Amino acid sequence: MQIAKALRNKPVALLWSAMVFSAIGDELYTIALIFVATSALGFLAGYLVSIQMACTLIASLYAGVFADRRHPRGVMIISDLVRALAVVLPALWLAFLSAPLPLWLLALMMIVVASAKPFFDPALQTILPELARDKDTLSAVNGLFDAMRRVARIFGPGLGALLIPILPIQHFFSLDALTFLVSAATLVWLRRNVADAHEPRTSAPAGFWPRLRQGVFGGFLAAGRKPVIAAHIFAFGVQNGAWYLGLILATALRFRQNDPADFSHFGLIVAAYGVGNVASTLVTAELKIGNPFLFMSVGRLICGLGFCLLALSNSLPGMMAAAAFAATGAPLAQIPFVTLVQTSFPPNEIASVFRMRMTCDWLGMFLALALSPMLLAAVGPEATTAIAGFTYLAAGGSGFLKRLGARVRA
């Protein structure tokens, strides 16, 4: 098995274990943040979702100005240390001042953590090809790291439920800080396995304005040289908006409107989606991907069909089965795309292209969140989920049409 081969690579196994540990810490952070925010703000806590999205979106635009001239591993270490310091502040405040946690400190922590994501995630994608060593193993490595957050979404909330009765909520932040420190220590250990630790920094344009242009628009300029890849990046932005709107908002509202007492069933649907994600990731990582564009199109079609089935389902088992089916399409689109970028662009452009992808993803979700009140009020949650499904189908179908058109011209 390719995944077993990838895990026999000690640096890959060590980094993956640290990233899973850190991702579980992120889930504990989310639980604690929601708990503290809802206690302090009540219904207004929902605005935190928009603020976090806006912070990550803005940071994804300017991160390249600072990160592209530095070694990816060093960028990841600094990002981990900054986030560790930020998330431990609530525990230190409550431990030494014995005063209620102020909202400004909660907001500061949230802004720092959200803004660090566009520095860390693209840098991680830059070092994975070096650790994988060959293209065949790279797909399995990408599958492993794609699965880490999906695994964390299954185990993190369960761990949180076990810890809430025995651990003060502020120490959920402390545990997240610990996971960031473990991640940073692992990256320090990987110094000998990542070439950027002993190679000179990537050259950058001379002058402030050229560097600013490269940092902000570098990913768009690089992807612009490969229009098909750029088109798929924008498609990911559209589908992420559809995912958030159709699975998260609309499905949650279906239970809230129809039977508020059964709102806990929403968690079961999200868990079923997570199980489908992980199962598909393990299978996709073993496949030899000859045509990544075909895989991405098929993945979107599966997601779209699953969302349409979710909209039509009225029973909990049917909705869980539809969500799990839809989830199997996500790795089929994601893993080939990651491998494609890592093998199509030079190392100094990989992070920039992934930041462009993050910008499109978060912009898509932000716009979906902004448009959701009008759409949900106009057509209702079931039809909204169906519209999200048709959006996926359109994105996947367009990929097939472009491929067919290319064959006809040939």
Side-chain angles (χ1 to χ4, degrees), residues 146 150 276-278 280-281 284 327-336:
D146 183 67
R150 309 182 196 281
N277 263 173
V278 172
S280 178
T281 297
T284 305
T328 61
L332 286 172
Q334 174 67 12
I335 295 173

Side-chain angles (χ1 to χ4, degrees), residues 147-177:
M148 69 181 182
R149 290 184 181 86
R150 309 182 196 281
V151 170
R153 285 173 190 152
I154 295 174
F155 292 104
L159 177 61
L162 293 175
L163 291 176
I164 283 176
I166 61 175
L167 189 69
I169 197 68
Q170 68 267 23
H171 290 307
F172 280 45
F173 295 125
S174 304
L175 289 176
D176 192 29

Side-chain angles (χ1 to χ4, degrees), residues 220-271:
F220 292 89
L221 295 172
R225 299 196 305 269
K226 300 180 184 293
V228 177
I229 294 179
H232 278 275
I233 291 175
F234 286 115
F236 274 112
V238 173
Q239 76 180 48
N240 272 276
W243 174 86
Y244 193 87
L245 188 60
L247 179 68
I248 303 301
L249 286 179
T251 305
L253 280 172
R254 284 179 71 176
F255 288 105
R256 180 66 71 185
Q257 286 183 352
N258 297 335
D259 191 352
D262 288 337
F263 187 71
S264 60
H265 292 170
F266 171 67
L268 295 176
I269 292 173
V270 175

Side-chain angles (χ1 to χ4, degrees), residues 112-388:
V112 171
V113 172
S115 300
K117 189 176 180 65
F119 288 87
F120 186 93
D121 289 3
L124 173 63
Q125 302 298 338
T126 302
I127 69 172
L128 290 184
E130 292 186 68
L131 296 177
R133 298 175 185 167
D134 62 77
K135 187 175 180 180
D136 289 338
T137 309
L138 180 58
S139 181
V141 170
N142 286 329
L144 276 173
F145 282 85
D146 183 67
M148 69 181 182
R149 290 184 181 86
R150 309 182 196 281
V151 170
R153 285 173 190 152
I154 295 174
F155 292 104
L159 177 61
L162 293 175
L163 291 176
I164 283 176
I166 61 175
L167 189 69
I169 197 68
Q170 68 267 23
H171 290 307
F172 280 45
F173 295 125
S174 304
L175 289 176
D176 192 29
L178 176 62
T179 67
F180 284 131
L181 293 177
V182 169
S183 174
T186 303
L187 289 163
V188 170
W189 183 88
L190 288 174
R191 183 178 185 275
R192 296 180 180 179
N193 302 96
V194 181
D196 67 5
H198 47 75
E199 287 184 352
R201 293 179 179 179
T202 302
S203 59
F208 173 76
W209 292 112
R211 287 200 301 270
L212 180 65
R213 175 178 175 271
Q214 179 64 29
V216 174
F217 300 109
F220 292 89
L221 295 172
R225 299 196 305 269
K226 300 180 184 293
V228 177
I229 294 179
H232 278 275
I233 291 175
F234 286 115
F236 274 112
V238 173
Q239 76 180 48
N240 272 276
W243 174 86
Y244 193 87
L245 188 60
L247 179 68
I248 303 301
L249 286 179
T251 305
L253 280 172
R254 284 179 71 176
F255 288 105
R256 180 66 71 185
Q257 286 183 352
N258 297 335
D259 191 352
D262 288 337
F263 187 71
S264 60
H265 292 170
F266 171 67
L268 295 176
I269 292 173
V270 175
Y273 187 91
V275 171
N277 263 173
V278 172
S280 178
T281 297
L282 295 176
V283 173
T284 305
E286 296 296 326
L287 300 176
K288 279 207 165 189
I289 299 171
N291 187 334
F293 302 108
L294 179 63
F295 272 76
M296 286 188 276
S297 296
V298 170
R300 290 178 182 128
L301 291 174
I302 291 174
C303 288
L305 180 57
F307 271 55
C308 290
L309 293 174
L310 179 62
L312 294 172
S313 300
N314 293 315
S315 66
L316 179 62
M319 295 177 74
M320 291 177 65
F325 175 74
T328 61
L332 286 172
Q334 174 67 12
I335 295 173
F337 171 79
V338 173
T339 305
L340 177 67
V341 171
Q342 291 168 337
T343 55
S344 299
F345 295 92
N348 62 313
E349 291 182 344
I350 292 175
S352 296
V353 174
F354 277 108
R355 272 193 295 274
M356 174 195 173
R357 161 77 193 274
M358 288 187 70
T359 300
C360 293
D361 286 354
W362 286 91
L363 180 60
M365 288 189 287
F366 186 80
L367 291 176
L369 190 67
L371 295 173
S372 61
M374 291 186 297
L375 185 60
L376 288 164
V379 300
E382 290 88 352
T384 298
T385 300
I387 290 172

